[in-house]
Amino acid sequence: MTLIQYPLVYAGIFLLLISAVLSVVNRDASIPSFLFNSFFWPCLYAAGLLSAWRNRQKQSETLKVVMYIGIAAAVIVFILVAAVATIEKGFLLMLICMQAARNFTLTNRRELYFACLISLILILYAASASKETSFLLYILVYVLSGIFTFMADHIDERLNYAKGGDKDILIRKMNLPAKGFGLAIAVITLSLGIYLIIPRMPSPHIQAFPSGGWNYKNEGWDREALTGEQQKEQMNAKSGLRSRVPDTSMSNADDSSKTDVNTDYKGFQDRFDVTKVGEATRSNEIVFYLQTDRPIYSRGKVFDVFDGRFWSYSGTGDRKIYSDKRKFVFDDSFYDRGLIQIYAMNTDMTQHIFAAYKPAVLIFPGNVIEKGSSLALRAPEYLRKGTVYSVISGNREIEGRSAGDTEYPTDEYDRYLQLPSGLSPKVRDLGNSITEQFQNDYEKAKAIESHLKNNYEYTLNTLLMEWENNPAEEFLFNLKKGHCELFASSMVLLLRTSGIPSRLVTGYHANRYNPVTGYFEIRKMDAHAWVEAYIKEHGWVTFEPTPTFVQPLSGKKRRFFMASNLNQYLRDRLKLTLQANPEKWWSKLLQYLLDIGNKVIAFLLILQLQFCMVTRIIFFWFKTTGWKFFAGAGFFAAGVFLLYRLLYPTYRRSKLRKLRETDYKQFLYSCYRETERIFTEKGFPRPTHYTAMEYCDILKPKFQTLHTQIYIITLAFQKARYSPLPVGSEDAERAYEAYLSILKSFAS
């Protein structure tokens, strides 16, 4: 096996490997881990490849021993990580460590191709697992490094056949990788442009419904689900929390009501104060990724009891459900394809299993869950980071609002009509004044929703207020502005005073779609509260009373153009970043630049409007009289062109005759050029590196009857061009007669 001789091969494979390795080890890494990985692995890989380059001629036994030790260490790493974490993670770290060891002996093309294969496996895994837009940077570096590596490898292969000065030229002067690098950037830029502006057909959505990441177990829930026994909801003091190790059983506590991990948003607590929702509304952190085909309300917790300030849940109708196959079916009559959702937790969350209403099928990494009568779902433990589960929800809608459960037990109406004790009569009067002109419950509910949207202001400033009396009444009659929990709570009060069963729902408003990754990015600030009202004709219907929030469930959203979605996503991310860091110097600078950019865009829009106006004027002129002018100009140009085609050959022959009488040498030059032009028009041009006589030999088998004339003209041209002897009238006359003979032959 020949040794690698071109040093840029090592530079290319280093970049190729490091881009693939970092894309794997930095996925979901904390900032300290990211900094460590970005320093440790490049240094280790650089040391190995540098040692291989310097010792490639010696075949050092020491480096071979280092490689074998490294491979053995990689196997040990696999065993340890597989036992403590997952087999998947252990396998990836084993590949990374094994390649780090093999780098010390990477001296030939076979080792090079093996390293490329390892990098391809790593980057493909990272591509399948990553949900961050930043992964595109790794892909870009990987593609450019791959092109650079294989071009350098091509040069290295040529070096095996070069000797002496040719070898020196290849090593010192060859810049093919650099040229290829620029070409690759141009191709990627063009491809990105095509990707952004070319419309794409919708996906057929042929996919599996994944679940995994953790194995959720609870023996108490299992017994209750299998035997129907009611277990007390209390902590099992002996079990406690297990260590956070994926794919191992969770705590076996008989109770599931452990303290929620993610308490930034208080709307998921059992007792919820509508005036204190936490700091989640100001955080830009992603809590989970959602793959679905439209924006949705992702339900978490449902409340039915309200005392004017605190919401709570009565727990009526909750039961545990067991499934050996980890597939939970809540609606046996559900056969529709439904709304498919795939959730991937990006941080530790509450026990609530988020899903769009109305969940019909759940594929979850556990054998038991809890289902409430309101179809709110809970896991045996809080959802760990890395948990993946799938939901299929019924997608029946009424005017873009999700709906379901048209038949509902009437004995449960009372708890959805409960009102706080001491509620002011003004609330009932307000509800009656809004709904008195409407006959059915659905129109009444829409009227209350519109009243709140149109007459009240949404603000987060009320989160810092101190409240004394009933916050909902204070919001409705005095303040008239507030956060979404006040809007939703007030709508429930107005609905219930109008005799419409209703409940408050907390979860996430999932509408931030990342067109690059294909996932909705749900952040802490997307925590939201909305209303579900029971309408006999339609079932439980979703209502959104908060201004600036739009009902997201309005049919499947087609995303044909990448550019428009990407533009909206980038603008949204920029807006969120500025809102989250209003006092930072870079935020102020960015806001200043953004204001300038908006002014420039406004100026360009004005120019666009003026251009459109001028274009319309020109189009009107063209439609009425302009087309006549252009038609006349076109006919005139066509006539001139035809006349030129008819008269130009005569002009050339006339010019050639004059030269024959005045300048024999120039005549022979022109005569040969005219002859060459004639045969070029016939499809036989003279190659640039062929001499006149070589061209004559090319034409001989094609035009045998004209070979003598071609030879005479070529010979005269060479005499005039290269011979020290003067040319005379006889040379010019013979060449002219041969030229006329060629013209006559083609004319006939």
Side-chain angles (χ1 to χ4, degrees):
M1 185 67 68
T2 55
L3 299 177
I4 297 174
Q5 304 179 55
Y6 194 47
L8 290 183
V9 173
Y10 285 92
I13 195 61
F14 170 76
L15 294 175
L16 190 73
L17 287 169
I18 283 302
S19 60
V21 169
L22 293 182
S23 70
V24 173
V25 298
N26 282 341
R27 188 176 70 88
D28 298 331
S30 61
I31 293 179
S33 298
F34 178 87
L35 295 175
F36 172 79
N37 293 331
S38 301
F39 174 78
F40 173 75
W41 292 110
C43 290
L44 180 60
Y45 272 59
L49 293 173
L50 185 62
S51 299
W53 165 253
R54 290 184 175 179
N55 297 278
R56 68 190 189 285
Q57 300 289 350
K58 302 176 184 178
Q59 298 294 319
S60 173
E61 293 297 327
T62 303
L63 293 181
K64 289 184 179 180
V65 172
V66 171
M67 180 193 69
Y68 291 135
I69 294 174
I71 292 176
V75 174
I76 295 174
V77 167
F78 167 73
I79 296 173
L80 293 176
V81 175
V84 176
T86 62
I87 296 178
E88 174 188 282
K89 187 174 182 181
F91 177 72
L92 292 171
L93 285 177
M94 181 183 71
L95 287 182
I96 293 172
C97 295
M98 184 180 295
Q99 184 55 50
R102 292 177 66 93
N103 285 342
F104 287 90
T105 58
L106 197 157
T107 58
N108 54 58
R109 190 164 286 106
R110 182 179 63 186
E111 295 286 341
L112 176 68
Y113 294 157
F114 181 83
C116 292
L117 177 62
I118 294 296
S119 72
L120 181 62
I121 294 173
L122 294 176
I123 200 71
L124 287 177
Y125 168 80
S128 66
S130 177
K131 301 175 183 65
E132 292 285 349
T133 309
S134 57
F135 177 73
L136 288 179
L137 297 177
Y138 291 112
I139 286 288
L140 180 63
V141 174
Y142 183 83
V143 171
L144 294 178
S145 302
I147 294 173
F148 184 92
T149 301
F150 286 111
M151 286 188 165
D153 177 62
H154 172 74
I155 297 174
D156 182 72
E157 186 179 7
R158 299 279 70 80
L159 286 173
N160 294 325
Y161 304 101
K163 297 180 180 180
D166 292 341
K167 193 170 186 177
D168 293 337
I169 291 175
L170 281 173
I171 294 177
R172 298 177 184 177
K173 303 295 183 181
M174 202 68 169
N175 59 354
L176 184 61
K179 291 181 178 178
F181 194 78
L183 177 63
I185 292 179
V187 171
I188 291 175
T189 303
L190 179 62
S191 302
L192 181 61
I194 293 174
Y195 178 65
L196 291 175
I197 65 176
I198 297 298
R200 296 174 292 169
M201 297 304 294
S203 169
H205 290 284
I206 300 174
Q207 60 183 349
F209 304 117
S211 69
W214 294 83
N215 183 24
Y216 292 86
K217 290 185 178 180
N218 187 302
E219 293 179 359
W221 281 29
D222 288 351
R223 289 194 299 271
E224 183 176 340
L226 293 173
T227 65
E229 297 177 359
Q230 295 297 319
Q231 305 295 326
K232 292 182 179 180
E233 294 191 358
Q234 59 183 2
M235 294 293 294
N236 187 333
K238 296 182 179 180
S239 61
L241 281 174
R242 293 286 183 89
S243 60
R244 293 186 52 193
V245 180
D247 293 330
T248 58
S249 64
M250 309 293 289
S251 170
N252 292 329
D254 289 349
D255 174 55
S256 62
S257 59
K258 296 188 177 182
T259 303
D260 289 335
V261 173
N262 189 347
T263 57
D264 288 344
Y265 181 59
K266 307 302 182 183
F268 299 136
Q269 294 180 342
D270 292 333
R271 182 173 165 81
F272 172 39
D273 185 348
V274 296
T275 67
K276 301 183 183 302
V277 300
E279 295 297 322
T281 54
R282 303 182 186 276
S283 175
N284 201 25
E285 179 186 351
I286 296 177
V287 291
F288 62 84
Y289 295 94
L290 170 62
Q291 187 176 14
T292 188
D293 60 13
R294 72 196 73 180
I296 64 170
Y297 283 121
S298 191
R299 301 165 88 241
K301 192 172 181 65
V302 178
F303 297 93
D304 54 3
V305 179
F306 187 47
D307 66 1
R309 177 165 185 160
F310 291 91
W311 278 100
S312 59
Y313 175 57
S314 62
T316 304
D318 291 356
R319 64 189 184 94
K320 310 299 186 295
I321 303 177
Y322 184 87
S323 173
D324 285 329
K325 298 180 179 179
R326 301 186 173 192
K327 180 179 180 180
F328 303 88
V329 180
F330 311 123
D331 187 354
D332 294 330
S333 63
F334 180 79
Y335 296 104
D336 189 14
R337 186 174 182 274
L339 175 64
I340 299 171
Q341 308 139 71
I342 301 174
Y343 292 81
M345 299 299 111
N346 192 56
T347 185
D348 291 341
M349 294 291 291
T350 66
Q351 291 176 260
H352 305 290
I353 300 174
F354 298 94
Y357 192 75
K358 167 189 174 185
V361 180
L362 168 68
I363 296 93
F364 186 75
N367 296 111
V368 63
I369 64 163
E370 181 183 79
K371 179 179 78 72
S373 60
S374 59
L375 286 178
L377 309 175
R378 281 206 309 164
E381 293 283 353
Y382 65 86
L383 300 184
R384 263 70 165 181
K385 179 179 180 180
T387 298
V388 176
Y389 65 89
S390 304
V391 180
I392 306 176
S393 299
N395 57 351
R396 193 169 68 84
E397 300 176 10
I398 172 67
E399 296 183 353
R401 308 169 191 272
S402 62
D405 283 343
T406 53
E407 295 182 1
Y408 203 75
T410 55
D411 57 354
E412 293 195 10
Y413 282 4
D414 290 343
R415 65 189 179 110
Y416 293 118
L417 291 172
Q418 172 268 335
L419 291 169
S421 60
L423 182 68
S424 171
K426 293 192 300 181
V427 178
R428 190 179 300 274
D429 294 340
L430 177 61
N432 291 334
S433 66
I434 297 172
T435 61
E436 60 184 357
Q437 58 180 322
F438 300 100
Q439 299 300 320
N440 63 71
D441 288 349
Y442 181 63
E443 294 299 329
K444 291 179 180 180
K446 286 203 305 180
I448 293 173
E449 178 189 54
S450 299
H451 176 80
L452 292 171
K453 271 183 173 292
N454 298 330
N455 297 285
Y456 293 80
E457 178 186 348
Y458 174 71
T459 179
L460 295 178
N461 295 334
T462 50
L463 295 174
L464 305 177
M465 289 181 55
E466 292 294 333
W467 302 80
E468 296 181 359
N469 301 318
N470 187 313
E473 292 185 21
E474 183 72 17
F475 165 77
L476 281 172
F477 301 108
N478 297 325
L479 198 59
K480 295 191 176 182
K481 59 182 178 180
H483 46 281
C484 63
E485 289 76 11
L486 291 175
F487 278 90
S489 301
S490 299
M491 182 172 181
V492 171
L493 286 181
L494 293 172
L495 286 169
R496 291 182 176 183
T497 57
S498 301
I500 302 174
S502 55
R503 58 198 185 195
L504 182 134
V505 185
T506 57
Y508 289 96
H509 186 251
N511 68 333
R512 304 182 191 278
Y513 177 72
N514 186 334
V516 178
T517 63
Y519 286 88
F520 285 91
E521 296 176 347
I522 288 74
R523 304 171 184 274
K524 287 184 177 180
M525 64 172 57
D526 295 323
H528 187 50
W530 61 95
V531 176
E532 290 178 354
Y534 185 74
I535 312 297
K536 292 182 180 180
E537 298 82 3
H538 308 295
W540 286 100
V541 181
T542 301
F543 289 91
E544 177 55 83
T546 308
T548 73
F549 283 82
V550 181
Q551 275 273 12
L553 196 63
S554 56
K556 185 174 181 179
K557 185 176 181 181
R558 303 290 187 182
R559 302 182 181 94
F560 291 108
F561 293 95
M562 175 71 172
S564 58
N565 291 293
L566 182 61
N567 175 58
Q568 181 61 39
Y569 174 75
L570 294 176
R571 290 170 65 89
D572 184 59
R573 288 297 305 274
L574 180 60
K575 180 181 177 180
L576 293 177
T577 302
L578 294 176
Q579 289 178 350
N581 303 276
E583 301 300 326
K584 300 292 180 65
W585 67 269
W586 55 265
S587 179
K588 295 179 180 178
L589 176 61
L590 192 59
Q591 183 63 58
Y592 175 74
L593 295 176
L594 187 62
D595 293 339
I596 295 177
N598 290 333
K599 292 179 181 178
V600 172
I601 292 175
F603 175 73
L604 293 177
L605 289 175
I606 294 174
L607 291 181
Q608 181 186 11
L609 292 174
Q610 293 178 346
F611 175 78
C612 292
M613 183 172 21
V614 172
T615 303
R616 283 195 294 269
I617 294 173
I618 294 174
F619 176 76
F620 179 77
W621 170 80
F622 179 83
K623 184 178 179 180
T624 53
T625 58
W627 68 271
K628 301 176 183 178
F629 170 79
F630 281 100
F635 281 118
F636 177 77
V640 171
F641 177 75
L642 291 175
L643 188 64
Y644 168 80
R645 295 282 295 178
L646 290 173
L647 298 180
Y648 187 62
T650 304
Y651 167 75
R652 288 201 306 268
R653 287 194 294 270
S654 174
K655 185 177 180 180
L656 203 60
R657 284 195 299 270
K658 289 182 180 180
L659 285 174
R660 181 169 63 91
E661 297 172 358
T662 57
D663 190 338
Y664 300 134
K665 179 176 285 190
Q666 288 298 325
F667 166 76
L668 292 176
Y669 288 166
S670 299
C671 185
Y672 179 78
R673 298 303 179 198
E674 282 295 310
T675 303
E676 185 179 295
R677 183 189 60 78
I678 291 172
F679 287 101
T680 298
E681 291 179 352
K682 298 300 179 182
F684 296 94
R686 179 167 74 96
T688 55
H689 57 284
Y690 274 47
T691 65
M693 194 56 70
E694 288 174 336
Y695 183 48
C696 179
D697 294 337
I698 290 177
L699 297 176
K700 180 178 180 180
K702 307 293 182 181
F703 305 94
Q704 293 183 359
T705 58
L706 298 177
H707 175 65
T708 302
Q709 290 81 355
I710 297 171
Y711 181 75
I712 291 172
I713 295 174
T714 303
L715 196 63
F717 167 73
Q718 286 190 326
K719 181 179 179 181
R721 182 73 175 176
Y722 304 110
S723 175
L725 300 176
V727 293
S729 60
E730 295 181 0
D731 297 317
E733 190 65 30
R734 284 197 299 272
Y736 187 64
E737 291 177 357
Y739 171 72
L740 293 177
S741 179
I742 292 173
L743 289 179
K744 183 178 180 181
S745 174
F746 283 122
S748 61

